[in-house]
Each structure stands twice: as structure tokens, then as C-alpha cells.
Amino acid sequence: MTQTGYIVHKLDARISNLSVGVSKDSGGNKNGNPTVGDPINVGIVADSQKFQKDGFVKIEDCLGNEFIDCLNDRLEKVLRGEFNTGTCPDKTPKLIKGARKGPIGFSGNTQGVKVLQVINIWKSDETFKQLVTSPKLGTLVAQLAGWKHGARVAQDQVWAKPPGAAPLVFHRDSPYFFFTPSDVVTVWVALDDMDEELGPLEYVKGSHRWGDGRIGSSNMFFQRDAFSLLHSASEKEGIDPDSLEIESMSGLKRGGISVHNGLTWHGSKKNMSKTRPRRGLGIHFIPGNAKFHEGASKSSLWKNYSHNPDGKLLDHLPEDLYPLTGTAVED
């Protein structure tokens, strides 16, 4: 049975319409100080049957506007090198300097604009940490995925598209994570209203059931043809690329989320707006019992964390770097 099949069958056995209730009294403030408690401010109701069938699900109104404002304010600080934990993210774009005051440093020029990526912003900012380590998000993931050992945060990624920024090529998340078990589930948080012109996230329905197909590499994420890897993979599956069902997250309001299987093909179009940024946070989860496998030594990101000083592969994941946030699924 494939890893995808494992998740699907666990959902059949345990969940027909997942509902996780949460409080309504959380938020944030514009000084960058997180509020006490979990920032999720409405009950999470996930259509687990859609997650099983399509490989993704959309959930509206998970975070309040005040908290989203706080996250966007803190993102501006991080992009300018201000880290209120005293620790840098694992990766940042070139820091914004000088007089560029627009959101995410937008200068007004829409030509040749690059997508901005920040990896593990939660390590550098207390407000993002509050969201990334939310027990309610972690528990939602563990229950959707059927993970007996709960859900653990592997990594977060901010993807911020200034006006005019390029498409993100269709890809899968799982091939970029070097853990065993190999399951990955991603929660994607909208930090802006996802109008069509901004280039919202798009999912290929049912693609989590495909074989390995084309994987590609991270340096291909911004190539001009956003569909080349996807079409190659679909043809290897014997599926006509013209018949693919693609669902856009257009219309998802800021504070809403989508949750997708790490094997689900997804990507996004160019930000066609002349003035508005498109900001989102992806939180990648792995099973609570996951460990690195040897392939991590070949990754520019993971190799710095996967081995002991003596060169031996870690036999567990450090809790301070890979926090267990989701409650385990009960038998």
C-alpha cells in the first residue's frame, strides 16, 4: 500500500467529517507580541472526504484580521533583518534596505520582480512561532492524515509575491523532505485575500494518487513554463494534460487556510496586480515518529541538521527544532 493509501484508509476508518472546536478569543497586536493561547479563532471544520478524494481541502476564517495584520507587520520586520527571537530564519531573500517602504519592499517596478522566500520564519519571530506551533493546526493535520504518533513541524516557508512576480511551477512537496516515514502534509495560510489576479495557489485534483512521475528540483520552481513538470507527470500516469481538473484557491480570504497532501501537485500563476502583494505561509508537517534518512545529507538545507557532530545520522528529531504540535490519532 502506498503512503497516500495509508492516509486515505485511515480517514475512511476514523473520520467522515472532521470537526475540531477552538476558542474565539485570540488574536495579536501590532507590536509583534503574541497573545496568550492558540491564535486560531474559529472552529475548524475540515471536509475529510474531499481531502481523501482530491488531496486537499480549503477551510475559511481560521485567523482573525488583527492577527493577520500582526503577521504581515512582523513579516516586514523580518524582511528588514529584525528578528525578535534573536535567531535568523534558515533562509531569507536579500534584506530590504533604503527607502523602499511598500509592502514586502515593493518599489513600484513590476518588471523582473522575484518571489521572496523565507524558510523557518518561526525561529526568528514569536508571532509566527505562535501560529506555526498551534496545537489546533497540528491536531487537525494528525487527524486528517491518520498519524498515530501525532504531527510534527518540519519546516515553514513564506512565499511572498510582489506585484508582477513570476509564477511558481507546479510541483509536489514530499520529494523535498528527507524523512521516514515519508508522509508530508502542508497547511497553507493566506495572508492576503486571494483574488484571481494575485496568482492564488492551485491544486490538481486526485494527483496525490499518482506515481512518482516527474519531481524536478527547487531551482526549477520559477521557470517560465509553470506546467512542464506537471504535464510530464500526468502523461506518465496515462492522463491527458488537457483533462486535468485544477481547482484554484481564488476567493479564499486572508486568515483562511488550505491543507494538502505532500503528494498533491500544486502551483500558482503570476501576480498580475500592479499594486498588491500576494503573501502566504506554508507549514509542512511530518508524522510525530519521523526521523531523517540518509538522503538528508545531500540537501543544502537538511544536511546542517540531520547528523551528529561525529557524522552519524540523528536517531531522533530535536524537539526545539521539530516541535510535536498535533495530538496523536487514537485507535
Side-chain angles (χ1 to χ4, degrees):
M1 183 182 299
T2 66
Q3 293 295 332
T4 303
Y6 172 80
I7 291 174
V8 167
H9 286 294
K10 290 298 182 185
L11 285 167
D12 280 340
R14 305 181 190 282
I15 308 166
S16 61
N17 186 27
L18 178 65
S19 177
V20 179
V22 301
S23 65
K24 298 184 179 181
D25 57 357
S26 56
N29 63 58
K30 294 190 177 183
N31 294 321
N33 299 316
T35 58
V36 176
D38 198 304
I40 302 297
N41 64 359
V42 297
I44 299 178
V45 180
D47 184 348
S48 61
Q49 292 183 348
K50 178 175 174 58
F51 183 82
Q52 171 187 338
K53 177 176 179 287
D54 294 339
F56 62 93
V57 65
K58 178 170 65 175
I59 311 171
E60 304 276 4
D61 301 321
C62 290
L63 294 160
N65 280 327
E66 183 181 1
F67 193 79
I68 294 297
D69 285 343
C70 187
L71 290 173
N72 282 328
D73 288 345
R74 292 306 308 162
L75 176 59
E76 295 298 322
K77 300 293 187 183
V78 170
L79 290 174
R80 290 163 174 80
E82 299 180 29
F83 313 131
N84 64 16
T85 66
T87 301
C88 299
D90 286 343
K91 179 181 178 181
T92 62
K94 184 177 180 181
L95 294 178
I96 298 170
K97 296 180 180 179
R100 290 191 291 168
K101 303 295 185 182
I104 57 175
F106 179 55
S107 66
N109 177 24
T110 59
Q111 301 301 312
V113 180
K114 294 184 178 181
V115 177
L116 306 181
Q117 182 190 28
V118 182
I119 295 180
N120 283 332
I121 194 172
W122 77 271
K123 295 180 180 180
S124 67
D125 188 84
E126 293 287 355
T127 308
F128 276 94
K129 180 178 180 178
Q130 187 183 4
L131 173 57
V132 170
T133 60
S134 159
K136 287 151 190 169
L137 284 185
T139 297
L140 172 72
V141 167
Q143 293 183 345
L144 277 175
W147 289 342
K148 289 184 177 181
H149 299 277
R152 188 178 295 279
V153 174
Q155 183 190 81
D156 72 43
Q157 296 190 60
V158 171
W159 293 97
K161 289 185 178 183
L168 181 63
V169 72
F170 275 76
H171 64 283
R172 284 172 154 175
D173 293 339
S174 291
Y176 302 97
F177 291 82
F178 298 91
F179 300 93
T180 183
S182 60
D183 300 342
V184 177
V185 171
T186 298
V187 172
W188 190 86
V189 182
L191 301 181
D192 292 291
D193 290 344
M194 289 295 123
D195 298 334
E196 185 62 34
E197 72 168 356
L198 296 187
L201 201 60
E202 297 181 339
Y203 293 112
V204 182
K205 290 184 176 182
S207 58
H208 60 304
R209 299 179 182 276
W210 298 359
D212 289 341
R214 286 291 300 275
I215 293 175
S217 61
S218 58
N219 62 8
M220 303 175 74
F221 275 12
F222 305 105
Q223 64 184 20
R224 183 169 297 180
D225 185 356
F227 294 92
S228 60
L229 295 178
L230 171 63
H231 289 173
S232 173
S234 68
E235 288 170 350
K236 288 187 177 181
E237 284 293 306
I239 300 172
D240 183 350
D242 291 336
S243 71
L244 295 175
E245 290 187 74
I246 298 178
E247 182 173 326
S248 172
M249 294 296 102
S250 177
L252 183 66
K253 299 298 183 183
R254 65 190 216 137
I257 69 173
S258 61
V259 185
H260 66 262
N261 189 309
L263 294 175
T264 302
W265 283 83
H266 59 285
S268 60
K269 297 183 176 119
K270 179 178 179 178
N271 183 356
M272 300 298 292
S273 172
K274 302 295 184 184
T275 58
R276 296 172 56 205
R278 180 273 210 191
R279 295 163 288 192
L281 172 69
I283 310 169
H284 305 292
F285 292 88
I286 53 179
N289 63 330
K291 300 177 182 180
F292 281 114
H293 66 65
E294 285 293 348
S297 63
K298 301 176 182 178
S299 165
S300 60
L301 178 62
W302 302 114
K303 68 181 180 182
N304 296 322
Y305 299 100
S306 59
H307 289 71
N308 290 316
D310 60 4
K312 293 183 179 180
L313 193 69
L314 291 178
D315 60 4
H316 70 283
L317 296 180
E319 190 67 26
D320 59 333
L321 298 178
Y322 306 95
L324 186 69
T325 64
T327 303
V329 172
E330 297 180 359
D331 288 326

